[in-house]
Amino acid sequence: MSIRQRPPTQPKWSVRNISYNPQVCSFVPVFDMDSKDEAGISIHDEVAGKQSVRDDAVGTVRLYEADALVLIPTPSPDPRDPLNLPQWRKWLITITLGICAILTDVSASYGNDPRVEDLMTYPTLFMGIGNLIAMPVAMAVGRRPVFLGSALVLMIGSIWCATSTSLSSHIAGRDILSMAAGQSEALCPLIIQEIHFLHEKSAMLAWFSAIQSMGTAALLISTPYLVQSFGWKWWYGVFGIVNGGILILAFLFVPESRYQRPTDAFEGAVHIHRQGHNDRIMRATTYHGVVLDLVRFKPRSIWNDIKIFHGPADWNALVTCLVQMIQCLSFPNILWVVLMNSTVLGIYVIMVSEYAGILSAPPYNFAFTSLGYVQTGQIAMAVIMIPVLGYGGDLLTRKLAERRGGVAEPEDRLIPMVLPVVIVTISCLFFGRAGSHPNHWSYWTIIITYSAEYFGFISVVLLGYTYSLDSYPERAGPILVLICAVRGLISFGISFGVTRFITQLGYTRALDVCAIVMGVVGALGIPVYVFGRKIRLGTQKWAVDNQDLNVEQ
């Protein structure tokens, strides 16, 4: 008995016996596999006759089954499957990635001393280039070697900048450092999405973003004191030392997360068609979990985890990733997510470029060392985002799925998008007026609107990630690099024109334009929400590999 045709080199699964799993208190089938490279069989056995959600659009999945959450993607019986990592290990990986993102974010954006424009503008360009290089390579050789390699280059780049003896050398070191930093924007969220299930994805991405935001703000607050006490070269020296520590931590505790799965695993169900029998759907849930098969699979070990490379490189995957990026950019819903990310980042670049000048000038007269404390608002925004859009987003998805009889739609992730769109639009209006007429407005207007826009920025990024990854789970890598690379390149372009834009229009008119653009682009999300399922149906032939496992019984 077989499902769809597939190359004969791929492994074959079969039901071997029925085993008892005391952890979930249920009898579940154990599956064999001829190869140890592929996963994808789910565990809970469901009687046939129920319609598969794949008869609908890609991304539409059954999230509840008999009051239990379905594990999506479906984990395999392989102990080395990253989805089978213990929860404490997943938390440790998320925290490590978040700390690494702190360092790359600050290292790529720092430019206080010396005050040279190229040290601020070009890092954003090279971060975008870093994304375009690192992610396709990660698809070919694995996530772990690219992540560790980037961490190593970050350490070397920091040392380079700290020991530079000329401006040209300093700029070159910053550009190399920023190129390595770029991988964290897309690769870290990809790793997080590959080790967590759909029903917890938003919360874990929110924690990652919050750790990055809070750590970045704290370090930026301390930067003026560090520079004044030790000089700007030791700023790089400190980061070189810390990057070395992160490299060791990542080497020991961040395993390879690439794991090949069949298309059915991303639906949370494997469809079994037996000749002469009714069809069945196999599912794994929080009540009927995975029985790890230690007969056919090797157990997870520290020696396997610390290996740099896992399996041979697939360079065809590099080319495929680039092609899929172009394909995904043509999807109307993904194009809108890219526009939303680019718009909110562009507005943030304007505010982050101008707030210090406004607050340090009369009548506010902020001291240079006091400007860093404005970043405390970003810490507050990151803390708020975790329960509101992290856990709140996952909760909303589960509740709406319950109302549909257990079926979840990716467009559920877009409902909270209304909040950041409204907040960013209002922030633009007030920031512009306070910048033009500081004598009529409190400095708190600048601080609050700047912090609120940052909340909008990280919220749009979070919601855009979760919606895109839920819609097209088999295109996670290309979509993430597409979003991050495009917004990085746009940020680079905007950074050159901010001063002229403000000079020609003034703060009020310039930020009014930003508010209008944000409102218009945000409103385009309405047809994406309404017609999202039809869009996914129309694009799924480019977003689904239709890779299956032959199942015999």
Side-chain angles (χ1 to χ4, degrees), residues 463-484:
L463 297 172
Y465 280 173
T466 52
Y467 168 68
S468 301
L469 298 180
D470 285 0
S471 296
Y472 305 107
E474 292 186 79
R475 296 294 178 266
I479 288 175
L480 286 172
V481 68
L482 182 65
I483 294 172
C484 297

Side-chain angles (χ1 to χ4, degrees), residues 67-370:
D67 296 327
L69 280 166
V70 177
L71 302 180
I72 305 172
T74 305
S76 76
D78 185 358
R80 295 182 177 181
D81 185 341
L83 287 175
N84 291 330
L85 285 166
Q87 201 65 20
W88 68 267
R89 184 76 179 273
K90 294 182 179 182
W91 272 104
L92 182 59
I93 293 171
T94 302
I95 293 171
T96 302
L97 296 176
I99 295 174
C100 182
I102 293 170
L103 301 177
T104 56
D105 191 17
V106 176
S107 297
S109 65
Y110 176 70
N112 288 328
D113 193 352
R115 293 180 180 276
V116 178
E117 184 178 357
D118 288 348
L119 293 174
M120 281 292 290
T121 55
Y122 283 102
T124 57
L125 171 63
F126 279 90
M127 286 186 73
I129 294 174
N131 264 307
L132 290 173
I133 295 174
M135 282 299 291
V137 173
M139 303 302 287
V141 303
R143 296 23 162 178
R144 179 172 167 81
V146 173
F147 181 74
L148 294 178
S150 298
L152 178 62
V153 174
L154 277 170
M155 184 179 66
I156 295 173
S158 298
I159 297 173
W160 179 346
C161 291
T163 58
S164 62
T165 57
S166 67
L167 178 60
S168 297
S169 177
H170 188 184
I171 293 174
R174 279 292 297 275
D175 292 342
I176 296 299
L177 186 150
S178 300
M179 186 178 295
Q183 59 79 27
S184 69
E185 289 193 306
L187 184 58
C188 290
L190 177 64
I191 294 173
I192 291 173
Q193 105 103 18
E194 289 179 332
I195 65 175
H196 291 101
F197 299 107
L198 183 148
H199 66 273
E200 59 187 6
K201 187 185 305 177
S202 181
M204 300 314 299
L205 284 172
W207 272 106
F208 164 76
S209 180
I211 292 170
Q212 177 184 4
S213 299
M214 291 185 287
T216 300
L219 289 174
L220 288 175
I221 292 171
S222 63
T223 290
Y225 301 99
L226 176 63
V227 172
Q228 287 182 355
S229 300
F230 302 102
W232 65 268
K233 287 194 173 184
W234 260 108
W235 187 91
Y236 288 109
V238 170
F239 273 82
I241 295 171
V242 177
N243 274 318
I246 292 298
L247 177 61
I248 295 173
L249 188 64
F251 177 78
L252 294 175
F253 297 110
V254 179
E256 176 59 60
S257 63
R258 181 179 61 164
Y259 201 85
Q260 189 178 4
R261 304 183 192 282
T263 294
D264 285 348
F266 296 98
E267 303 170 24
V270 174
H271 309 260
I272 300 179
H273 310 285
R274 296 184 300 163
Q275 187 174 6
H277 297 271
N278 291 330
D279 294 350
R280 293 189 304 164
I281 299 176
M282 309 288 289
R283 300 187 190 277
T285 71
T286 49
Y287 291 163
H288 298 79
V290 186
V291 173
L292 300 183
D293 186 353
L294 296 176
V295 175
R296 292 297 185 118
F297 298 97
K298 294 181 179 179
R300 179 174 290 276
S301 67
I302 183 63
W303 304 114
N304 181 72
D305 282 354
I306 63 175
K307 285 173 55 180
I308 305 297
F309 294 94
H310 291 254
D314 181 8
W315 295 109
N316 289 330
L318 186 151
V319 178
T320 300
C321 178
L322 296 174
V323 172
Q324 290 173 348
M325 284 172 55
I326 298 174
Q327 292 174 336
C328 292
L329 188 59
S330 67
F331 298 173
N333 49 353
I334 299 301
L335 178 59
W336 174 75
V337 170
V338 172
L339 288 175
M340 279 291 292
N341 272 259
S342 302
T343 299
V344 74
L345 175 61
I347 296 172
Y348 178 68
V349 169
I350 292 174
M351 288 191 180
V352 78
S353 301
E354 298 297 322
Y355 86 91
I358 296 173
L359 293 177
S360 60
Y364 303 138
N365 298 315
F366 272 53
F368 173 69
T369 53
S370 299

Side-chain angles (χ1 to χ4, degrees), residues 358-416:
I358 296 173
L359 293 177
S360 60
Y364 303 138
N365 298 315
F366 272 53
F368 173 69
T369 53
S370 299
L371 290 172
Y373 291 105
V374 176
Q375 307 300 326
T376 56
Q378 296 190 5
I379 297 177
M381 295 300 102
V383 171
I384 292 173
M385 183 192 65
I386 294 173
V388 174
L389 296 179
Y391 290 100
D394 286 336
L395 178 62
L396 178 64
T397 298
R398 295 196 296 268
K399 291 299 182 183
L400 292 177
E402 288 179 345
R403 293 180 60 181
R404 296 193 195 95
V407 175
E409 300 282 4
E411 284 71 35
D412 296 341
R413 300 287 192 182
L414 296 181
I415 296 175

